[in-house]
Amino acid sequence: MPHEIRSGGKPRRDKLGDGGIRSTIIIPNYNGIKYIENCLVSLAGEPARVIVVDNGSVDGSREVVEEKFPTVRVLALDRNYGFCGAVNRGIEESRKDKTTYVILLNNDTTVQPGFVRAMEKALDSDGRAFSGAARMVNMQHPALIDDAGDYYCALGWAFAAGKDKPAADYGRPREIFSACGGACIYRRSILAKIGLLDENHFAYLEDVDLGYRAKIYGYRNIYVPEAVVHHAGSGVSGSRHNDFKVKLSAKNSVYLVYKNMPLLQILLNLPFLFAGFLIKTLFFLKKGLIKSWLQGTAEGLRLACSEKGRAKRVRFVRSRFPAYMRIQWELWRNLWYRIYM
């Protein structure tokens, strides 16, 4: 269990009263001095409680939050437990709020007014929805999409819909495979059934894994275009492709398949998965990141064979067979979406 130092006092009583506050926003922070203040300023008018979970930052960002935002609760962890570890500690802390929803938000984002109510309204209107994904736009070029919902395909690839495409083209709600953890809402009651983020991921693809798990349990994930978030992107890791991200993503790609697909489904998708691996191998060879890619893949295989990996595998239940069938159809359909979304 991570050591934590609590600051910021007890949960505040908002002007709307306990009945008006229905969401707790959780912001993981690791050396986010460049972004965290603007993020919290943008939330000033939003009807939600806010928890910043600091992953052992050394750049002064935690101190900025404590000094300038006294109504924000801060959980200061003793070291970096990754995105998953920080979020899970935040969710555990937020239980005392007794809010209906949990909202995740990256520290390198700012929200447009009405963000929280738009997210809540979307899940209020769909009782089978586990999560909702915000319309994330590029902070430097807000006319372009950063993420309009995530998809996962039979190649073993996860991808963001609309990446670098006109934001105006992504203004309609729809069902998606999973919600990007950079700006999303989760229904707390379903989290209690399916579990929190899998900390074996540390970071990257943990949100796809959680959305996948929700689908196995028969729930839906939706895109909420009315909730708009500006995202700097690669605010911590530094670029779209780097050794850290490539290695973790490779590891988690292997682990994601192992833990969510029954053996028969893995065999069914094996030709696609092999093709996806080969294409990625050639891509990272060209990028000069082949060593990180292969090391991450090997780590993923070791994790899948380990006791802690096996312990997290989603057990196949016969009653969920229709859900697996729907997911398989999506995995094939999303091959097409990979080109056109």
Side-chain angles (χ1 to χ4, degrees):
M1 184 70 68
H3 170 70
E4 67 183 42
I5 305 168
R6 298 177 186 269
S7 64
K10 296 180 180 179
R12 60 188 173 95
R13 291 183 64 87
D14 300 78
K15 292 180 180 179
L16 290 176
D18 289 342
I21 302 301
R22 306 181 61 221
S23 297
T24 301
I25 299 173
I26 297 169
I27 305 173
N29 178 65
Y30 179 66
N31 292 339
I33 190 69
K34 184 177 178 181
Y35 300 103
I36 190 65
E37 187 171 352
N38 287 336
C39 178
L40 292 173
V41 167
S42 76
L43 291 171
E46 295 297 311
R49 297 192 174 93
V50 181
I51 300 173
V52 171
V53 186
D54 188 80
N55 259 330
S57 296
V58 295
D59 65 343
S61 53
R62 174 177 61 83
E63 290 80 1
V64 166
V65 178
E66 291 173 336
E67 292 170 8
K68 295 189 176 183
F69 301 92
T71 59
V72 172
R73 272 178 286 166
V74 177
L75 269 62
L77 307 183
D78 61 327
R79 61 181 175 85
N80 186 359
Y81 290 87
F83 181 87
C84 300
V87 166
N88 285 351
R89 293 297 292 135
I91 293 174
E92 290 169 1
E93 168 67 16
S94 73
R95 286 174 181 163
K96 66 179 63 173
D97 297 336
K98 298 181 180 179
T99 45
T100 304
Y101 300 119
V102 172
I103 294 176
L104 307 189
L105 199 62
N106 275 8
N107 63 358
D108 61 342
T109 61
T110 59
V111 308
Q112 287 192 3
F115 162 75
V116 168
R117 288 303 191 216
M119 295 288 257
E120 293 172 347
K121 182 179 178 181
L123 262 63
D124 285 345
S125 64
D126 188 343
R128 297 301 297 173
F130 160 63
S131 73
R135 175 160 38 168
M136 300 179 74
V137 299
N138 188 303
M139 187 174 286
Q140 290 74 35
H141 305 283
L144 300 179
I145 284 288
D146 185 70
D147 191 302
D150 288 346
Y151 290 89
Y152 185 68
C153 70
L155 294 171
W157 298 355
F159 57 94
K163 187 74 173 179
D164 298 327
K165 294 181 180 180
D169 294 346
Y170 292 84
R172 299 180 64 181
R174 56 187 151 75
E175 185 169 355
I176 55 177
F177 193 89
S178 61
C180 173
C184 69
I185 185 170
Y186 294 142
R187 194 184 303 271
R188 189 185 296 276
S189 61
I190 297 179
L191 279 172
K193 295 178 182 179
I194 70 174
L196 305 183
L197 296 179
D198 182 350
E199 295 185 29
N200 285 337
H201 285 96
F202 189 81
Y204 302 119
L205 297 179
E206 74 293 319
D207 45 8
V208 177
D209 172 64
L210 185 58
Y212 199 143
R213 201 184 322 150
K215 294 179 77 66
I216 292 172
Y217 277 73
Y219 297 106
R220 290 160 30 93
N221 304 296
I222 58 177
Y223 171 56
V224 188
E226 297 83 7
V228 180
V229 173
H230 295 256
H231 184 217
S234 303
V236 174
S237 59
S239 65
R240 187 173 295 185
H241 300 297
N242 56 65
D243 287 312
F244 173 78
K245 183 174 182 178
V246 168
K247 189 174 181 179
L248 268 179
S249 297
K251 182 201 78 172
N252 293 339
S253 292
V254 175
Y255 180 54
L256 183 68
V257 170
Y258 162 78
K259 71 168 293 189
N260 291 295
M261 288 189 190
L263 179 59
L264 183 60
Q265 193 173 27
I266 292 176
L267 294 175
L268 180 64
N269 288 295
L270 200 57
F272 297 98
L273 294 170
F274 179 77
F277 173 78
L278 180 60
I279 293 168
K280 288 277 190 176
T281 299
L282 295 174
F283 175 81
F284 288 117
L285 179 64
K286 184 177 180 180
K287 289 283 185 180
L289 294 165
I290 187 63
K291 183 178 179 181
S292 298
W293 169 251
L294 294 177
Q295 286 178 339
T297 300
E299 287 187 13
L301 291 170
R302 286 194 293 270
L303 176 59
C305 294
S306 70
E307 184 177 346
K308 69 176 184 178
R310 292 195 300 271
K312 290 290 186 178
R313 194 166 194 217
V314 179
R315 186 170 62 91
F316 176 77
V317 177
R318 187 176 299 177
S319 62
R320 296 179 190 148
F321 184 74
Y324 282 105
M325 293 290 289
R326 287 192 294 271
I327 290 169
Q328 185 57 50
W329 163 245
E330 288 188 55
L331 296 179
W332 285 333
R333 182 201 62 189
N334 292 347
L335 294 169
W336 178 266
Y337 281 4
R338 179 63 183 86
I339 300 172
Y340 293 100
M341 291 295 287

